[in-house]
mmCIF file with all atom_site columns, all heavy atoms in Angstrom:
data_model
loop_
_atom_site.group_PDB
_atom_site.id
_atom_site.type_symbol
_atom_site.label_atom_id
_atom_site.label_alt_id
_atom_site.label_comp_id
_atom_site.label_asym_id
_atom_site.label_entity_id
_atom_site.label_seq_id
_atom_site.pdbx_PDB_ins_code
_atom_site.Cartn_x
_atom_site.Cartn_y
_atom_site.Cartn_z
_atom_site.occupancy
_atom_site.B_iso_or_equiv
_atom_site.pdbx_formal_charge
_atom_site.auth_seq_id
_atom_site.auth_comp_id
_atom_site.auth_asym_id
_atom_site.auth_atom_id
_atom_site.pdbx_PDB_model_num
ATOM 1   N N   . GLN A 1 112 ? 109.146 104.198 93.206  1.00 98.00 ? 128 GLN A N   1
ATOM 2   C CA  . GLN A 1 112 ? 110.552 103.831 92.723  1.00 98.00 ? 128 GLN A CA  1
ATOM 3   C C   . GLN A 1 112 ? 110.730 102.458 92.823  1.00 98.00 ? 128 GLN A C   1
ATOM 4   O O   . GLN A 1 112 ? 111.527 101.876 92.007  1.00 98.00 ? 128 GLN A O   1
ATOM 5   C CB  . GLN A 1 112 ? 111.404 104.502 93.824  1.00 98.00 ? 128 GLN A CB  1
ATOM 6   C CG  . GLN A 1 112 ? 111.429 106.063 93.866  1.00 98.00 ? 128 GLN A CG  1
ATOM 7   C CD  . GLN A 1 112 ? 112.256 106.490 95.049  1.00 98.00 ? 128 GLN A CD  1
ATOM 8   O OE1 . GLN A 1 112 ? 113.324 106.250 95.378  1.00 98.00 ? 128 GLN A OE1 1
ATOM 9   N NE2 . GLN A 1 112 ? 111.538 107.556 95.812  1.00 98.00 ? 128 GLN A NE2 1
ATOM 10  N N   . ILE A 1 113 ? 110.022 101.692 93.673  1.00 98.00 ? 129 ILE A N   1
ATOM 11  C CA  . ILE A 1 113 ? 110.110 100.182 93.704  1.00 98.00 ? 129 ILE A CA  1
ATOM 12  C C   . ILE A 1 113 ? 109.600 99.657  92.537  1.00 98.00 ? 129 ILE A C   1
ATOM 13  O O   . ILE A 1 113 ? 110.155 98.669  91.837  1.00 98.00 ? 129 ILE A O   1
ATOM 14  C CB  . ILE A 1 113 ? 109.459 99.541  94.864  1.00 98.00 ? 129 ILE A CB  1
ATOM 15  C CG1 . ILE A 1 113 ? 110.077 100.003 96.184  1.00 98.00 ? 129 ILE A CG1 1
ATOM 16  C CG2 . ILE A 1 113 ? 109.408 98.033  94.896  1.00 98.00 ? 129 ILE A CG2 1
ATOM 17  C CD1 . ILE A 1 113 ? 111.514 99.479  96.510  1.00 98.00 ? 129 ILE A CD1 1
ATOM 18  N N   . ARG A 1 114 ? 108.378 100.129 91.970  1.00 98.00 ? 130 ARG A N   1
ATOM 19  C CA  . ARG A 1 114 ? 107.839 99.605  90.812  1.00 98.00 ? 130 ARG A CA  1
ATOM 20  C C   . ARG A 1 114 ? 108.661 99.647  89.627  1.00 98.00 ? 130 ARG A C   1
ATOM 21  O O   . ARG A 1 114 ? 108.773 98.863  88.743  1.00 98.00 ? 130 ARG A O   1
ATOM 22  C CB  . ARG A 1 114 ? 106.486 100.241 90.521  1.00 98.00 ? 130 ARG A CB  1
ATOM 23  C CG  . ARG A 1 114 ? 105.307 99.765  91.312  1.00 98.00 ? 130 ARG A CG  1
ATOM 24  C CD  . ARG A 1 114 ? 104.073 100.488 90.787  1.00 98.00 ? 130 ARG A CD  1
ATOM 25  N NE  . ARG A 1 114 ? 103.114 100.532 91.898  1.00 98.00 ? 130 ARG A NE  1
ATOM 26  C CZ  . ARG A 1 114 ? 102.943 101.682 92.635  1.00 98.00 ? 130 ARG A CZ  1
ATOM 27  N NH1 . ARG A 1 114 ? 103.388 102.795 92.302  1.00 98.00 ? 130 ARG A NH1 1
ATOM 28  N NH2 . ARG A 1 114 ? 101.959 101.618 93.614  1.00 98.00 ? 130 ARG A NH2 1
ATOM 29  N N   . GLU A 1 115 ? 109.396 100.850 89.517  1.00 97.00 ? 131 GLU A N   1
ATOM 30  C CA  . GLU A 1 115 ? 110.288 101.091 88.396  1.00 97.00 ? 131 GLU A CA  1
ATOM 31  C C   . GLU A 1 115 ? 111.339 100.105 88.336  1.00 97.00 ? 131 GLU A C   1
ATOM 32  O O   . GLU A 1 115 ? 111.809 99.565  87.313  1.00 97.00 ? 131 GLU A O   1
ATOM 33  C CB  . GLU A 1 115 ? 110.824 102.523 88.421  1.00 97.00 ? 131 GLU A CB  1
ATOM 34  C CG  . GLU A 1 115 ? 110.032 103.460 87.739  1.00 97.00 ? 131 GLU A CG  1
ATOM 35  C CD  . GLU A 1 115 ? 110.496 104.895 88.018  1.00 97.00 ? 131 GLU A CD  1
ATOM 36  O OE1 . GLU A 1 115 ? 111.750 105.020 88.209  1.00 97.00 ? 131 GLU A OE1 1
ATOM 37  O OE2 . GLU A 1 115 ? 109.606 105.781 87.939  1.00 97.00 ? 131 GLU A OE2 1
ATOM 38  N N   . GLN A 1 116 ? 111.902 99.703  89.578  1.00 96.00 ? 132 GLN A N   1
ATOM 39  C CA  . GLN A 1 116 ? 113.072 98.802  89.604  1.00 96.00 ? 132 GLN A CA  1
ATOM 40  C C   . GLN A 1 116 ? 112.777 97.404  89.661  1.00 96.00 ? 132 GLN A C   1
ATOM 41  O O   . GLN A 1 116 ? 113.494 96.608  89.216  1.00 96.00 ? 132 GLN A O   1
ATOM 42  C CB  . GLN A 1 116 ? 113.937 99.081  90.771  1.00 96.00 ? 132 GLN A CB  1
ATOM 43  C CG  . GLN A 1 116 ? 114.472 100.562 90.764  1.00 96.00 ? 132 GLN A CG  1
ATOM 44  C CD  . GLN A 1 116 ? 115.106 100.865 92.145  1.00 96.00 ? 132 GLN A CD  1
ATOM 45  O OE1 . GLN A 1 116 ? 116.231 100.369 92.443  1.00 96.00 ? 132 GLN A OE1 1
ATOM 46  N NE2 . GLN A 1 116 ? 114.449 101.677 92.950  1.00 96.00 ? 132 GLN A NE2 1
ATOM 47  N N   . SER A 1 117 ? 111.628 97.046  90.186  1.00 95.00 ? 133 SER A N   1
ATOM 48  C CA  . SER A 1 117 ? 111.143 95.673  90.376  1.00 95.00 ? 133 SER A CA  1
ATOM 49  C C   . SER A 1 117 ? 109.725 95.507  89.856  1.00 95.00 ? 133 SER A C   1
ATOM 50  O O   . SER A 1 117 ? 108.751 95.588  90.674  1.00 95.00 ? 133 SER A O   1
ATOM 51  C CB  . SER A 1 117 ? 111.228 95.342  91.839  1.00 95.00 ? 133 SER A CB  1
ATOM 52  O OG  . SER A 1 117 ? 112.470 95.552  92.349  1.00 95.00 ? 133 SER A OG  1
ATOM 53  N N   . PRO A 1 118 ? 109.605 95.321  88.577  1.00 93.00 ? 134 PRO A N   1
ATOM 54  C CA  . PRO A 1 118 ? 108.250 95.281  88.024  1.00 93.00 ? 134 PRO A CA  1
ATOM 55  C C   . PRO A 1 118 ? 107.409 94.029  88.539  1.00 93.00 ? 134 PRO A C   1
ATOM 56  O O   . PRO A 1 118 ? 106.158 94.099  88.478  1.00 93.00 ? 134 PRO A O   1
ATOM 57  C CB  . PRO A 1 118 ? 108.544 94.946  86.438  1.00 93.00 ? 134 PRO A CB  1
ATOM 58  C CG  . PRO A 1 118 ? 109.869 95.300  86.290  1.00 93.00 ? 134 PRO A CG  1
ATOM 59  C CD  . PRO A 1 118 ? 110.591 95.103  87.538  1.00 93.00 ? 134 PRO A CD  1
ATOM 60  N N   . GLY A 1 119 ? 108.065 93.088  89.209  1.00 93.00 ? 135 GLY A N   1
ATOM 61  C CA  . GLY A 1 119 ? 107.303 92.002  89.753  1.00 93.00 ? 135 GLY A CA  1
ATOM 62  C C   . GLY A 1 119 ? 106.707 92.302  91.143  1.00 93.00 ? 135 GLY A C   1
ATOM 63  O O   . GLY A 1 119 ? 106.015 91.516  91.697  1.00 93.00 ? 135 GLY A O   1
ATOM 64  N N   . ALA A 1 120 ? 107.088 93.451  91.682  1.00 97.00 ? 136 ALA A N   1
ATOM 65  C CA  . ALA A 1 120 ? 106.458 93.831  92.995  1.00 97.00 ? 136 ALA A CA  1
ATOM 66  C C   . ALA A 1 120 ? 105.055 94.034  92.957  1.00 97.00 ? 136 ALA A C   1
ATOM 67  O O   . ALA A 1 120 ? 104.431 94.483  91.831  1.00 97.00 ? 136 ALA A O   1
ATOM 68  C CB  . ALA A 1 120 ? 107.218 95.092  93.418  1.00 97.00 ? 136 ALA A CB  1
ATOM 69  N N   . LYS A 1 121 ? 104.308 93.632  94.043  1.00 97.00 ? 137 LYS A N   1
ATOM 70  C CA  . LYS A 1 121 ? 102.830 93.892  94.079  1.00 97.00 ? 137 LYS A CA  1
ATOM 71  C C   . LYS A 1 121 ? 102.679 94.881  95.072  1.00 97.00 ? 137 LYS A C   1
ATOM 72  O O   . LYS A 1 121 ? 103.168 94.834  96.170  1.00 97.00 ? 137 LYS A O   1
ATOM 73  C CB  . LYS A 1 121 ? 102.158 92.463  94.404  1.00 97.00 ? 137 LYS A CB  1
ATOM 74  C CG  . LYS A 1 121 ? 102.421 91.430  93.487  1.00 97.00 ? 137 LYS A CG  1
ATOM 75  C CD  . LYS A 1 121 ? 101.611 91.698  92.121  1.00 97.00 ? 137 LYS A CD  1
ATOM 76  C CE  . LYS A 1 121 ? 102.175 90.871  91.121  1.00 97.00 ? 137 LYS A CE  1
ATOM 77  N NZ  . LYS A 1 121 ? 101.597 91.129  89.731  1.00 97.00 ? 137 LYS A NZ  1
ATOM 78  N N   . SER A 1 122 ? 101.649 95.815  94.724  1.00 98.00 ? 138 SER A N   1
ATOM 79  C CA  . SER A 1 122 ? 101.336 96.916  95.718  1.00 98.00 ? 138 SER A CA  1
ATOM 80  C C   . SER A 1 122 ? 99.877  96.910  96.140  1.00 98.00 ? 138 SER A C   1
ATOM 81  O O   . SER A 1 122 ? 99.041  96.561  95.417  1.00 98.00 ? 138 SER A O   1
ATOM 82  C CB  . SER A 1 122 ? 101.645 98.328  95.027  1.00 98.00 ? 138 SER A CB  1
ATOM 83  O OG  . SER A 1 122 ? 101.022 98.421  93.771  1.00 98.00 ? 138 SER A OG  1
ATOM 84  N N   . ILE A 1 123 ? 99.841  97.192  97.445  1.00 98.00 ? 139 ILE A N   1
ATOM 85  C CA  . ILE A 1 123 ? 98.479  97.194  98.106  1.00 98.00 ? 139 ILE A CA  1
ATOM 86  C C   . ILE A 1 123 ? 98.198  98.497  98.816  1.00 98.00 ? 139 ILE A C   1
ATOM 87  O O   . ILE A 1 123 ? 99.178  98.952  99.480  1.00 98.00 ? 139 ILE A O   1
ATOM 88  C CB  . ILE A 1 123 ? 98.460  96.048  99.134  1.00 98.00 ? 139 ILE A CB  1
ATOM 89  C CG1 . ILE A 1 123 ? 98.752  94.720  98.415  1.00 98.00 ? 139 ILE A CG1 1
ATOM 90  C CG2 . ILE A 1 123 ? 97.002  95.953  99.829  1.00 98.00 ? 139 ILE A CG2 1
ATOM 91  C CD1 . ILE A 1 123 ? 99.513  93.703  99.393  1.00 98.00 ? 139 ILE A CD1 1
ATOM 92  N N   . PHE A 1 124 ? 97.053  99.118  98.599  1.00 98.00 ? 140 PHE A N   1
ATOM 93  C CA  . PHE A 1 124 ? 96.670  100.313 99.210  1.00 98.00 ? 140 PHE A CA  1
ATOM 94  C C   . PHE A 1 124 ? 95.624  100.099 100.249 1.00 98.00 ? 140 PHE A C   1
ATOM 95  O O   . PHE A 1 124 ? 94.603  99.405  99.912  1.00 98.00 ? 140 PHE A O   1
ATOM 96  C CB  . PHE A 1 124 ? 96.303  101.387 98.277  1.00 98.00 ? 140 PHE A CB  1
ATOM 97  C CG  . PHE A 1 124 ? 96.397  102.810 98.877  1.00 98.00 ? 140 PHE A CG  1
ATOM 98  C CD1 . PHE A 1 124 ? 97.532  103.576 98.716  1.00 98.00 ? 140 PHE A CD1 1
ATOM 99  C CD2 . PHE A 1 124 ? 95.302  103.336 99.623  1.00 98.00 ? 140 PHE A CD2 1
ATOM 100 C CE1 . PHE A 1 124 ? 97.720  104.798 99.259  1.00 98.00 ? 140 PHE A CE1 1
ATOM 101 C CE2 . PHE A 1 124 ? 95.390  104.650 100.249 1.00 98.00 ? 140 PHE A CE2 1
ATOM 102 C CZ  . PHE A 1 124 ? 96.575  105.271 100.030 1.00 98.00 ? 140 PHE A CZ  1
ATOM 103 N N   . ILE A 1 125 ? 95.651  100.545 101.504 1.00 98.00 ? 141 ILE A N   1
ATOM 104 C CA  . ILE A 1 125 ? 94.626  100.344 102.547 1.00 98.00 ? 141 ILE A CA  1
ATOM 105 C C   . ILE A 1 125 ? 94.026  101.666 102.799 1.00 98.00 ? 141 ILE A C   1
ATOM 106 O O   . ILE A 1 125 ? 94.677  102.577 103.144 1.00 98.00 ? 141 ILE A O   1
ATOM 107 C CB  . ILE A 1 125 ? 95.319  99.639  103.787 1.00 98.00 ? 141 ILE A CB  1
ATOM 108 C CG1 . ILE A 1 125 ? 95.848  98.381  103.404 1.00 98.00 ? 141 ILE A CG1 1
ATOM 109 C CG2 . ILE A 1 125 ? 94.188  99.583  104.841 1.00 98.00 ? 141 ILE A CG2 1
ATOM 110 C CD1 . ILE A 1 125 ? 96.868  97.833  104.430 1.00 98.00 ? 141 ILE A CD1 1
ATOM 111 N N   . LEU A 1 126 ? 92.660  101.654 102.672 1.00 98.00 ? 142 LEU A N   1
ATOM 112 C CA  . LEU A 1 126 ? 91.839  102.874 102.879 1.00 98.00 ? 142 LEU A CA  1
ATOM 113 C C   . LEU A 1 126 ? 91.177  102.608 104.296 1.00 98.00 ? 142 LEU A C   1
ATOM 114 O O   . LEU A 1 126 ? 90.795  101.547 104.705 1.00 98.00 ? 142 LEU A O   1
ATOM 115 C CB  . LEU A 1 126 ? 90.702  102.947 101.919 1.00 98.00 ? 142 LEU A CB  1
ATOM 116 C CG  . LEU A 1 126 ? 91.143  103.207 100.409 1.00 98.00 ? 142 LEU A CG  1
ATOM 117 C CD1 . LEU A 1 126 ? 89.877  103.291 99.524  1.00 98.00 ? 142 LEU A CD1 1
ATOM 118 C CD2 . LEU A 1 126 ? 91.725  104.737 100.490 1.00 98.00 ? 142 LEU A CD2 1
ATOM 119 N N   . PRO A 1 127 ? 90.863  103.705 105.011 1.00 96.00 ? 143 PRO A N   1
ATOM 120 C CA  . PRO A 1 127 ? 90.038  103.702 106.231 1.00 96.00 ? 143 PRO A CA  1
ATOM 121 C C   . PRO A 1 127 ? 88.591  103.479 105.759 1.00 96.00 ? 143 PRO A C   1
ATOM 122 O O   . PRO A 1 127 ? 88.296  103.739 104.664 1.00 96.00 ? 143 PRO A O   1
ATOM 123 C CB  . PRO A 1 127 ? 90.243  105.037 106.811 1.00 96.00 ? 143 PRO A CB  1
ATOM 124 C CG  . PRO A 1 127 ? 90.667  105.909 105.735 1.00 96.00 ? 143 PRO A CG  1
ATOM 125 C CD  . PRO A 1 127 ? 91.273  105.083 104.715 1.00 96.00 ? 143 PRO A CD  1
ATOM 126 N N   . PRO A 1 128 ? 87.679  102.980 106.706 1.00 95.00 ? 144 PRO A N   1
ATOM 127 C CA  . PRO A 1 128 ? 86.263  102.801 106.339 1.00 95.00 ? 144 PRO A CA  1
ATOM 128 C C   . PRO A 1 128 ? 85.554  104.146 106.075 1.00 95.00 ? 144 PRO A C   1
ATOM 129 O O   . PRO A 1 128 ? 84.558  104.014 105.328 1.00 95.00 ? 144 PRO A O   1
ATOM 130 C CB  . PRO A 1 128 ? 85.729  102.039 107.567 1.00 95.00 ? 144 PRO A CB  1
ATOM 131 C CG  . PRO A 1 128 ? 86.653  102.438 108.734 1.00 95.00 ? 144 PRO A CG  1
ATOM 132 C CD  . PRO A 1 128 ? 87.926  102.636 108.067 1.00 95.00 ? 144 PRO A CD  1
ATOM 133 N N   . SER A 1 129 ? 85.909  105.247 106.658 1.00 95.00 ? 145 SER A N   1
ATOM 134 C CA  . SER A 1 129 ? 85.214  106.431 106.311 1.00 95.00 ? 145 SER A CA  1
ATOM 135 C C   . SER A 1 129 ? 85.981  107.545 106.704 1.00 95.00 ? 145 SER A C   1
ATOM 136 O O   . SER A 1 129 ? 86.973  107.482 107.406 1.00 95.00 ? 145 SER A O   1
ATOM 137 C CB  . SER A 1 129 ? 83.807  106.430 107.175 1.00 95.00 ? 145 SER A CB  1
ATOM 138 O OG  . SER A 1 129 ? 84.195  106.615 108.521 1.00 95.00 ? 145 SER A OG  1
ATOM 139 N N   . ARG A 1 130 ? 85.675  108.794 106.284 1.00 93.00 ? 146 ARG A N   1
ATOM 140 C CA  . ARG A 1 130 ? 86.372  109.972 106.459 1.00 93.00 ? 146 ARG A CA  1
ATOM 141 C C   . ARG A 1 130 ? 86.255  110.317 108.106 1.00 93.00 ? 146 ARG A C   1
ATOM 142 O O   . ARG A 1 130 ? 87.245  110.699 108.718 1.00 93.00 ? 146 ARG A O   1
ATOM 143 C CB  . ARG A 1 130 ? 85.700  111.125 105.778 1.00 93.00 ? 146 ARG A CB  1
ATOM 144 C CG  . ARG A 1 130 ? 86.548  112.420 105.821 1.00 93.00 ? 146 ARG A CG  1
ATOM 145 C CD  . ARG A 1 130 ? 86.375  113.213 104.550 1.00 93.00 ? 146 ARG A CD  1
ATOM 146 N NE  . ARG A 1 130 ? 87.107  114.443 104.844 1.00 93.00 ? 146 ARG A NE  1
ATOM 147 C CZ  . ARG A 1 130 ? 88.030  115.037 103.957 1.00 93.00 ? 146 ARG A CZ  1
ATOM 148 N NH1 . ARG A 1 130 ? 88.152  114.381 102.833 1.00 93.00 ? 146 ARG A NH1 1
ATOM 149 N NH2 . ARG A 1 130 ? 88.643  116.089 104.302 1.00 93.00 ? 146 ARG A NH2 1
ATOM 150 N N   . GLU A 1 131 ? 85.011  110.050 108.574 1.00 92.00 ? 147 GLU A N   1
ATOM 151 C CA  . GLU A 1 131 ? 84.771  110.342 110.005 1.00 92.00 ? 147 GLU A CA  1
ATOM 152 C C   . GLU A 1 131 ? 85.666  109.377 110.980 1.00 92.00 ? 147 GLU A C   1
ATOM 153 O O   . GLU A 1 131 ? 86.221  109.904 111.873 1.00 92.00 ? 147 GLU A O   1
ATOM 154 C CB  . GLU A 1 131 ? 83.395  109.949 110.393 1.00 92.00 ? 147 GLU A CB  1
ATOM 155 C CG  . GLU A 1 131 ? 82.360  111.041 109.861 1.00 92.00 ? 147 GLU A CG  1
ATOM 156 C CD  . GLU A 1 131 ? 82.190  110.952 108.317 1.00 92.00 ? 147 GLU A CD  1
ATOM 157 O OE1 . GLU A 1 131 ? 82.366  109.722 107.757 1.00 92.00 ? 147 GLU A OE1 1
ATOM 158 O OE2 . GLU A 1 131 ? 81.847  111.961 107.697 1.00 92.00 ? 147 GLU A OE2 1
ATOM 159 N N   . GLU A 1 132 ? 85.833  108.050 110.509 1.00 92.00 ? 148 GLU A N   1
ATOM 160 C CA  . GLU A 1 132 ? 86.658  107.218 111.360 1.00 92.00 ? 148 GLU A CA  1
ATOM 161 C C   . GLU A 1 132 ? 88.188  107.584 111.232 1.00 92.00 ? 148 GLU A C   1
ATOM 162 O O   . GLU A 1 132 ? 88.916  107.539 112.209 1.00 92.00 ? 148 GLU A O   1
ATOM 163 C CB  . GLU A 1 132 ? 86.450  105.724 110.820 1.00 92.00 ? 148 GLU A CB  1
ATOM 164 C CG  . GLU A 1 132 ? 87.280  104.687 111.457 1.00 92.00 ? 148 GLU A CG  1
ATOM 165 C CD  . GLU A 1 132 ? 87.065  104.567 113.045 1.00 92.00 ? 148 GLU A CD  1
ATOM 166 O OE1 . GLU A 1 132 ? 86.097  105.175 113.590 1.00 92.00 ? 148 GLU A OE1 1
ATOM 167 O OE2 . GLU A 1 132 ? 87.857  103.938 113.676 1.00 92.00 ? 148 GLU A OE2 1
ATOM 168 N N   . LEU A 1 133 ? 88.517  108.029 109.915 1.00 92.00 ? 149 LEU A N   1
ATOM 169 C CA  . LEU A 1 133 ? 89.900  108.440 109.758 1.00 92.00 ? 149 LEU A CA  1
ATOM 170 C C   . LEU A 1 133 ? 90.240  109.717 110.788 1.00 92.00 ? 149 LEU A C   1
ATOM 171 O O   . LEU A 1 133 ? 91.141  109.721 111.483 1.00 92.00 ? 149 LEU A O   1
ATOM 172 C CB  . LEU A 1 133 ? 90.212  108.815 108.423 1.00 92.00 ? 149 LEU A CB  1
ATOM 173 C CG  . LEU A 1 133 ? 91.592  109.244 108.067 1.00 92.00 ? 149 LEU A CG  1
ATOM 174 C CD1 . LEU A 1 133 ? 92.614  108.186 108.279 1.00 92.00 ? 149 LEU A CD1 1
ATOM 175 C CD2 . LEU A 1 133 ? 91.749  109.706 106.628 1.00 92.00 ? 149 LEU A CD2 1
ATOM 176 N N   . GLU A 1 134 ? 89.300  110.671 110.680 1.00 90.00 ? 150 GLU A N   1
ATOM 177 C CA  . GLU A 1 134 ? 89.479  111.786 111.606 1.00 90.00 ? 150 GLU A CA  1
ATOM 178 C C   . GLU A 1 134 ? 89.425  111.435 113.128 1.00 90.00 ? 150 GLU A C   1
ATOM 179 O O   . GLU A 1 134 ? 90.346  111.964 113.811 1.00 90.00 ? 150 GLU A O   1
ATOM 180 C CB  . GLU A 1 134 ? 88.282  112.822 111.320 1.00 90.00 ? 150 GLU A CB  1
ATOM 181 C CG  . GLU A 1 134 ? 88.642  113.751 110.238 1.00 90.00 ? 150 GLU A CG  1
ATOM 182 C CD  . GLU A 1 134 ? 87.625  114.706 109.950 1.00 90.00 ? 150 GLU A CD  1
ATOM 183 O OE1 . GLU A 1 134 ? 86.308  114.558 110.232 1.00 90.00 ? 150 GLU A OE1 1
ATOM 184 O OE2 . GLU A 1 134 ? 87.898  115.755 109.249 1.00 90.00 ? 150 GLU A OE2 1
ATOM 185 N N   . ARG A 1 135 ? 88.613  110.516 113.424 1.00 89.00 ? 151 ARG A N   1
ATOM 186 C CA  . ARG A 1 135 ? 88.553  109.999 114.821 1.00 89.00 ? 151 ARG A CA  1
ATOM 187 C C   . ARG A 1 135 ? 89.916  109.462 115.158 1.00 89.00 ? 151 ARG A C   1
ATOM 188 O O   . ARG A 1 135 ? 90.502  109.723 116.279 1.00 89.00 ? 151 ARG A O   1
ATOM 189 C CB  . ARG A 1 135 ? 87.444  108.930 114.989 1.00 89.00 ? 151 ARG A CB  1
ATOM 190 C CG  . ARG A 1 135 ? 86.997  108.839 116.468 1.00 89.00 ? 151 ARG A CG  1
ATOM 191 C CD  . ARG A 1 135 ? 86.029  107.694 116.607 1.00 89.00 ? 151 ARG A CD  1
ATOM 192 N NE  . ARG A 1 135 ? 86.708  106.414 116.141 1.00 89.00 ? 151 ARG A NE  1
ATOM 193 C CZ  . ARG A 1 135 ? 87.631  105.720 116.870 1.00 89.00 ? 151 ARG A CZ  1
ATOM 194 N NH1 . ARG A 1 135 ? 88.012  106.231 118.066 1.00 89.00 ? 151 ARG A NH1 1
ATOM 195 N NH2 . ARG A 1 135 ? 88.050  104.536 116.535 1.00 89.00 ? 151 ARG A NH2 1
#
Side-chain angles (χ1 to χ4, degrees):
Q128 296 170 52
I129 296 289
R130 280 187 208 103
E131 269 170 29
Q132 299 171 73
S133 304
K137 297 290 161 189
S138 58
I139 303 150
F140 199 94
I141 299 168
L142 292 172
S145 68
R146 191 152 175 132
E147 290 69 29
E148 177 61 15
L149 180 65
E150 272 178 340
R151 200 189 62 72

